[in-house]
Amino acid sequence: MTAVTSSLSDDQRAILALWYEVNASLTAYHKLITAFGNAQFAWQATVSAWRQMGIHHTHLKRHEEPKQTSANIEKIQQALVDGRYGLLFADQPDYPNQLLQIYDPPPLLFFRGNSARLHQAQIAIVGSRKPTAHAQKITFDMAQYLAQAGYIITSGLAMGVDKQAHLGALAQTDFDYQGRTIGVMGTGIDVNYPNHRDHLFTQIIEQGGCIISELLPHTQPHKHTFPRRNRLVAGLSLATIVTEATIQSGSLITARLTSEQGKQVFAIPSHIDNNNAEGCHHLIREGATLIYHPKQVLEDVSGQLEYSHRSYSASSLADNLNSHQATTTHATDEPSIEPVASVAINQQQPSNIKLPRSTAVIPEHLNVIYDQLDWHGQDLDALIVSTKLTAPVLIGQLMELELLSVISVQGGRYLRA
């Protein structure tokens, strides 16, 4: 762990106190700072002064209990000393400059892992929590390719596309390329949500990546914490790629925030009857850049690096540019990836992927196998692995689906009709 703030100054304790008492409310925090000039004056102000400013009653109640506030600060101080996580304040040089460019930068960031990643050129990859098998493969390969091209892959640590983005960035055989990913949490830095992400957290940290959160330790997930996480994903990155998303996906929030920050949004197209990709098609219709290979992202984003010197340090830019030049001049060093429109399906994908249905009514006993199929096709061996059905049962159910005219067979691969 780098750049650990283990001994808090009086100013930093005041910032933490305010952040605790307003329960990480950006609106209330900045209102108090604007009114009183700095965190120390704001924290020392009376409850009646806060009340006159219209501060929420729950924040006033915390402000009435300074001993409880101090006790929570001491817990954070001890966690810093123990190395359980680190802490960056917005006025420190180690705080990522690009976040200072957004409308509402957080006054502090908790982190685990290598915080130096925050100063390197990043590309966000986001999408559905329940992507198709094809979208998972595209996401993994694209993240792997871009990470080896010198970029840090930033995402939100959710299941589905986010997870595949992190795993793709981590899938580097060369030690120099490992750990090129940042996960932005929608919970406190010490909360593993959902529980099965614990292995992913460990892998990111051990390989040299970084996990961050603006929320206080022990903060549990809430419907409001994930959209605010999305603004940090967008704010840290040079551009955002949406590999697959429904029209109601939170990924479209990240895409909108990216666009509002004057950055480029990329989207990958799919079949027009793929409900999971409706959000991508909407983005393309609204002006997002259609891509089908990560080289197209590199062509567009590399031109922004010169402009982004205000956000990224010169040394980090040089490192990324040199790495990019090394990978683009030696084709054999690049990860093996086909254009995403024709990339093969990963036969090791999880078996619980739920794919959008056609208008046909599928009998209940055929749901398991139908949910595993997409429009690109899977062979019998892959389906046996993903469905965990015996070969005779699987073949029988495939024949039933064929008779219903909802699937077809091409070159030994079964796909949706």
Side-chain angles (χ1 to χ4, degrees), residues 146-159:
L146 293 172
Q148 193 159 343
Y151 290 91
I152 308 302
I153 304 303
T154 301
S155 197
L157 291 165
M159 295 302 294

Side-chain angles (χ1 to χ4, degrees), residues 286-333:
E286 293 299 310
T289 302
L290 184 155
I291 57 168
Y292 51 86
H293 195 283
K295 282 186 177 180
Q296 296 159 335
V297 178
L298 295 179
E299 290 169 359
D300 286 2
V301 172
S302 60
Q304 300 179 35
L305 286 175
E306 183 67 25
Y307 174 78
S308 67
H309 69 278
R310 290 175 297 180
S311 298
Y312 297 96
S313 68
S315 60
S316 295
L317 283 174
D319 290 343
N320 281 277
L321 283 170
N322 291 337
S323 176
H324 172 58
Q325 291 169 355
T327 56
T328 54
T329 55
H330 300 285
T332 56
D333 292 337

Side-chain angles (χ1 to χ4, degrees), residues 272-292:
I272 60 173
D273 53 355
N274 180 2
N275 295 332
N276 259 27
E278 190 175 356
C280 289
H281 296 155
H282 172 76
L283 290 173
I284 292 169
R285 180 178 173 83
E286 293 299 310
T289 302
L290 184 155
I291 57 168
Y292 51 86

Side-chain angles (χ1 to χ4, degrees), residues 31-339:
K31 180 185 288 187
L32 288 167
I33 294 296
T34 300
F36 295 102
N38 62 49
Q40 289 203 58
F41 288 153
W43 190 30
Q44 293 165 3
T46 63
V47 174
S48 60
W50 279 33
R51 185 178 291 110
Q52 291 175 5
M53 295 175 57
I55 300 299
H56 196 274
H57 67 89
T58 58
H59 305 336
L60 297 177
K61 185 176 180 180
R62 290 191 191 89
H63 194 48
E64 290 174 340
E65 302 174 351
K67 290 184 179 180
Q68 183 61 43
T69 300
S70 296
N72 276 280
I73 294 174
E74 290 306 320
K75 290 179 181 178
I76 292 174
Q77 171 79 69
Q78 188 59 52
L80 294 172
V81 171
D82 294 342
R84 279 178 272 164
Y85 49 75
L87 186 54
L88 302 174
F89 290 88
D91 60 352
Q92 290 181 312
D94 289 323
Y95 187 93
N97 289 332
Q98 63 271 32
L99 283 187
L100 297 176
Q101 312 302 318
I102 68 175
Y103 172 72
D104 50 357
L108 51 83
L109 287 174
F110 295 91
F111 73 90
R112 294 166 62 192
N114 180 11
S115 64
R117 296 297 185 197
L118 296 169
H119 301 278
Q120 296 176 315
Q122 300 164 48
I123 296 176
I125 301 181
V126 297
S128 171
R129 292 174 184 265
K130 295 183 177 181
T132 61
H134 185 60
Q136 291 192 67
K137 185 65 170 66
I138 288 172
T139 303
F140 184 95
D141 286 348
M142 187 161 290
Q144 184 182 35
Y145 189 103
L146 293 172
Q148 193 159 343
Y151 290 91
I152 308 302
I153 304 303
T154 301
S155 197
L157 291 165
M159 295 302 294
V161 164
D162 286 14
K163 181 178 180 180
Q164 291 302 313
H166 292 302
L167 290 176
L170 293 170
Q172 308 292 336
T173 56
D174 191 324
F175 178 80
D176 293 335
Y177 293 99
Q178 291 184 1
R180 291 185 173 181
T181 191
I182 294 171
V184 184
M185 302 178 69
T187 63
I189 193 68
D190 54 353
V191 176
N192 290 332
Y193 171 81
N195 291 333
H196 48 260
R197 288 193 312 181
D198 186 50
H199 178 71
L200 178 60
F201 288 2
T202 301
Q203 187 177 357
I204 291 174
I205 293 167
E206 288 182 350
Q207 289 193 23
C210 186
I211 295 171
I212 66 169
S213 175
E214 67 178 317
L215 303 173
L216 290 159
H218 310 308
T219 300
Q220 297 299 311
H222 190 273
K223 64 180 180 180
H224 298 303
T225 61
F226 295 103
R228 64 184 291 173
R229 169 205 64 183
N230 294 346
R231 89 187 194 289
L232 298 185
V233 172
L236 285 166
S237 306
L238 287 167
T240 294
I241 303 170
V242 184
T243 56
E244 186 177 72
T246 64
I247 198 69
Q248 299 296 329
S249 172
S251 303
L252 269 64
I253 297 176
T254 309
R256 174 178 58 79
L257 293 168
T258 301
S259 180
E260 289 176 355
Q261 293 169 13
K263 303 171 184 176
Q264 195 163 1
V265 177
F266 300 96
I268 296 176
S270 182
H271 297 273
I272 60 173
D273 53 355
N274 180 2
N275 295 332
N276 259 27
E278 190 175 356
C280 289
H281 296 155
H282 172 76
L283 290 173
I284 292 169
R285 180 178 173 83
E286 293 299 310
T289 302
L290 184 155
I291 57 168
Y292 51 86
H293 195 283
K295 282 186 177 180
Q296 296 159 335
V297 178
L298 295 179
E299 290 169 359
D300 286 2
V301 172
S302 60
Q304 300 179 35
L305 286 175
E306 183 67 25
Y307 174 78
S308 67
H309 69 278
R310 290 175 297 180
S311 298
Y312 297 96
S313 68
S315 60
S316 295
L317 283 174
D319 290 343
N320 281 277
L321 283 170
N322 291 337
S323 176
H324 172 58
Q325 291 169 355
T327 56
T328 54
T329 55
H330 300 285
T332 56
D333 292 337
E334 295 180 347
S336 175
I337 180 172
E338 300 171 5

